[in-house]
């Protein structure tokens, strides 16, 4: 039986970050009930408001990654603004920032400054390359760290240039690691061990996600190259064009899955072909196997192939675009899309909370708010500032 309580209720987060990695990390926390106070510049706002596609001048992705938050404005370049940050930090559990190394310390809002009044404070620093080492002060956007971490090098075809993913892989993967790190630090704090700083370079989570490449190089000297959609350890694996112009993906990671793929495609004779009798032999003869699969698949429509795969429990499925996801029955059954009423755009649909909890599920209560939407509530309600003081700070450009 589910309850109305969310698992992170009572956790308060001050989000000083901008653009993608930091705001998405706090989105994950807000999705489960954390009270996230999102700080923007009074005039410029978060750059994500102007990034990517817009509708009627409203940035669409901002609405997603800043959902469930309370937006306020503070000019961090103003000493009075930094005073407000120090006051807010005394009232929160976590602070998240993604400025260049040394910036918050120079402003007098580094960890030591904030923890002086709140020793249980947890502060997350998200930078391109971490806060130590020769690259500590270098700028680092997601595309750069994807290249630096080695992810771009293995992506693409062997006779072409390395490819950077067409979405924010470096930032969004770091966001997950950052949210996880917050929960580890909160647990540690709640055991009576106080607050601490978290130092995460955007590339570090992605480097971890490279899987066996590091130990393979260390022990065998093997550098993984680009294989397109293939895999140097598994065959068959890849994407295949169908008769009706769609694509399907295949992954035969085990002997049993390979056999089911062959039966689904009516290629039973491949099961007795010595070239394909083991995974190692299939990898060695991968081009020949892929050609046989390609010739079989191109003669069928995508939906027919998917039906055959499900009949035979074969690991073959559709290559969906985003429009396909909007009409897919599995996506509908899992509730992976949620519709929310937005005051600027009207009804909007976006990805729902990704993880299902049996008793305390997360949810999306509102989209990313308009700039300064919660100024009065936070400065008045949380900090106890009077209306005249709030107006004075607004007139002075502090908020």
């Amino acid at each position: 039986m589910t309850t109305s309580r969310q698992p992170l209720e009572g956790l308060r987060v001050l989000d000083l970050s901008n653009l993608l990695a930091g705001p998405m990390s706090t989105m994950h926390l807000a999705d489960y009930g954390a009270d996230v106070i999102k700080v923007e510049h009074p005039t410029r706002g978060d750059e994500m408001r102007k990034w990517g596609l817009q509708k009627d001048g409203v940035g669409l992705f901002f609405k997603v990654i800043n959902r469930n938050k309370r937006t306020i404005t503070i000019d961090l370049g103003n000493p009075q603004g930094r005073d407000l940050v120090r006051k807010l930090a005394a009232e929160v559990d976590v602070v998240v920032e993604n400025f260049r190394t040394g910036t918050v310390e120079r402003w007098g809002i580094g960890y030591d400054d904030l923890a002086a009044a709140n020793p249980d404070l947890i502060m997350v620093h998200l930078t391109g390359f971490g806060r130590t080492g020769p690259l500590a002060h270098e700028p680092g956007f997601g595309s750069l760290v994807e290249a630096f971490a080695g992810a771009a090098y293995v992506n693409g075809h062997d006779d072409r240039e390395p490819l950077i993913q067409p979405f924010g892989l470096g930032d969004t993967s770091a966001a997950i690691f950052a949210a996880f790190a917050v929960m580890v630090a909160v647990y540690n704090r709640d055991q009576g061990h106080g607050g601490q700083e978290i130092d995460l370079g955007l590339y570090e989570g992605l480097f971890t996600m490279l899987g066996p490449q590091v130990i393979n190089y260390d022990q065998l000297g093997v550098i993984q190259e680009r294989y397109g959609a293939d895999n140097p350890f598994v065959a068959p694996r890849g994407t295949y064009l169908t008769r009706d112009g769609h694509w399907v993906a295949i992954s035969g990671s085990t002997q049993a899955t390979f056999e089911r793929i062959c039966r689904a495609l009516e290629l039973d004779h491949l099961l007795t072909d010595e070239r394909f009798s083991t995974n190692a032999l299939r990898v060695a003869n991968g081009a020949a196997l892929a050609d046989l699969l390609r010739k079989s698949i191109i003669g069928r429509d995508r939906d027919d192939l998917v039906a055959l795969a499900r009949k035979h429990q074969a690991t073959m499925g559709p290559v969906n675009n985003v429009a396909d996801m909007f009409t897919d029955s599995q996506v509908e059954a899992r509730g992976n899309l949620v519709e929310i009423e937005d005051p600027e755009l009207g009804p909007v649909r976006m990805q729902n909370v990704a993880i299902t909890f049996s008793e305390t599920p997360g949810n999306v209560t509102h989209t990313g708010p308009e700039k300064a939407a919660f100024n009065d509530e936070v400065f008045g309600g949380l900090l106890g500032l009077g209306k005249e003081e709030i107006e004075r700070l607004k007139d002075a450009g502090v908020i």
Side-chain angles (χ1 to χ4, degrees):
M1 178 180 177
T2 60
T3 68
S4 59
R5 180 188 172 277
Q6 291 188 281
L8 296 185
E9 280 186 20
L11 185 73
R12 183 173 289 148
V13 180
L14 182 63
D15 183 0
L16 304 178
S17 66
N18 192 33
L19 282 173
L20 184 49
M24 181 166 271
S25 72
T26 59
M27 179 202 78
H28 292 307
L29 302 175
D31 280 352
Y32 294 99
D35 175 18
V36 177
I37 301 170
K38 160 75 177 171
V39 176
E40 301 180 76
H41 189 274
T43 55
R44 296 191 301 270
D46 189 323
E47 292 178 58
M48 188 57 73
R49 289 189 182 273
K50 303 178 183 67
W51 184 90
L53 297 182
Q54 301 190 353
K55 180 181 178 182
D56 300 330
V58 177
L60 297 179
F61 198 30
F62 181 92
K63 293 292 183 181
V64 179
I65 64 173
N66 290 291
R67 65 196 192 189
N68 293 336
K69 302 178 186 179
R70 296 197 283 175
T71 51
I72 64 172
T73 50
I74 299 177
D75 181 0
L76 299 181
N78 187 303
Q80 295 180 73
R82 297 195 289 272
D83 284 341
L84 290 173
V85 169
R86 284 186 280 269
K87 290 176 181 177
L88 285 168
E91 303 294 332
V92 304
D93 301 282
V94 181
V95 174
V96 177
E97 66 91 11
N98 65 346
F99 296 100
R100 282 211 211 182
T101 298
T103 300
V104 291
E105 287 81 7
R106 189 172 69 251
W107 283 343
I109 53 173
Y111 181 73
D112 290 342
D113 304 298
L114 303 182
N118 185 359
D120 283 340
L121 183 70
I122 294 158
M123 189 168 189
V124 181
H125 305 284
L126 276 165
T127 58
F129 302 100
R131 288 166 63 86
T132 58
L135 299 181
H137 295 274
E138 295 299 313
F141 287 104
S143 298
L144 295 180
V145 303
E146 289 170 36
F148 181 83
Y153 184 83
V154 298
N155 189 33
H157 293 274
D158 60 355
D159 59 344
R160 298 289 301 278
E161 70 277 6
L163 297 178
I164 294 172
Q165 290 287 347
F167 66 97
L169 176 62
D171 286 282
T172 55
S173 59
I176 298 170
F177 279 91
F180 170 70
V182 167
M183 299 319 304
V184 172
V186 167
Y187 181 84
N188 182 72
R189 182 205 65 183
D190 289 350
Q191 303 307 302
H193 303 297
Q196 61 183 304
E197 291 180 90
I198 296 169
D199 175 8
L200 176 62
L202 296 185
Y203 81 91
E204 291 176 307
L206 198 52
F207 185 55
T208 300
M209 292 168 62
L210 291 183
Q213 291 186 48
V214 175
I215 196 168
N216 289 351
Y217 176 73
D218 176 67
Q219 295 296 303
L220 302 173
V222 172
I223 298 175
Q224 183 170 319
E225 300 294 337
R226 292 182 290 285
Y227 299 96
D230 295 331
N231 185 299
F233 309 112
V234 172
R237 181 181 185 272
T239 54
Y240 296 85
L241 183 65
T242 64
R243 181 170 59 191
D244 54 351
H246 295 290
W247 295 81
V248 293
I250 281 180
S251 181
S253 299
T254 67
Q255 185 65 28
T257 55
F258 170 66
E259 292 174 4
R260 290 198 289 268
I261 290 168
C262 291
R263 294 189 179 102
L265 295 175
E266 299 176 344
L267 295 174
D268 297 65
H269 62 284
L270 298 186
L271 300 178
T272 57
D273 191 319
E274 285 299 316
R275 296 174 299 170
F276 313 129
S277 59
T278 68
N279 182 65
L281 288 171
R282 289 193 292 275
V283 171
N285 296 286
L289 178 58
D291 187 57
L292 291 167
L293 294 174
R294 190 175 296 111
K295 289 176 180 177
S296 176
I297 289 169
I298 194 63
R300 294 177 170 91
D301 292 341
R302 179 187 64 178
D303 290 349
D304 293 336
L305 286 161
V306 171
L308 284 169
R310 290 174 182 166
K311 176 182 177 182
H312 292 272
Q313 291 293 286
T315 47
M316 176 170 56
V319 176
N320 287 333
N321 60 31
V322 68
D324 295 323
M325 297 295 282
F326 270 73
T327 59
D328 188 90
S329 59
Q330 178 68 15
V331 173
E332 181 181 4
R334 293 287 293 172
N336 298 136
L337 290 170
V338 61
E339 183 174 297
I340 302 293
E341 189 70 23
D342 179 80
E344 296 178 281
L345 299 172
V348 298
R349 284 181 288 178
M350 63 180 64
Q351 302 96 318
N352 204 348
V353 178
I355 305 169
T356 302
F357 282 62
S358 64
E359 304 300 323
T360 55
N363 68 340
V364 182
T365 60
H366 62 265
T367 59
E370 296 178 63
K371 190 175 62 176
F374 291 86
N375 271 11
D376 290 345
E377 184 174 301
V378 171
F379 294 128
L382 184 58
L383 295 188
L385 301 184
K387 290 183 179 180
E388 290 185 1
E389 176 64 4
I390 292 173
E391 284 301 313
R392 185 193 69 78
L393 291 169
K394 182 178 178 181
D395 292 341
V398 178
I399 64 174

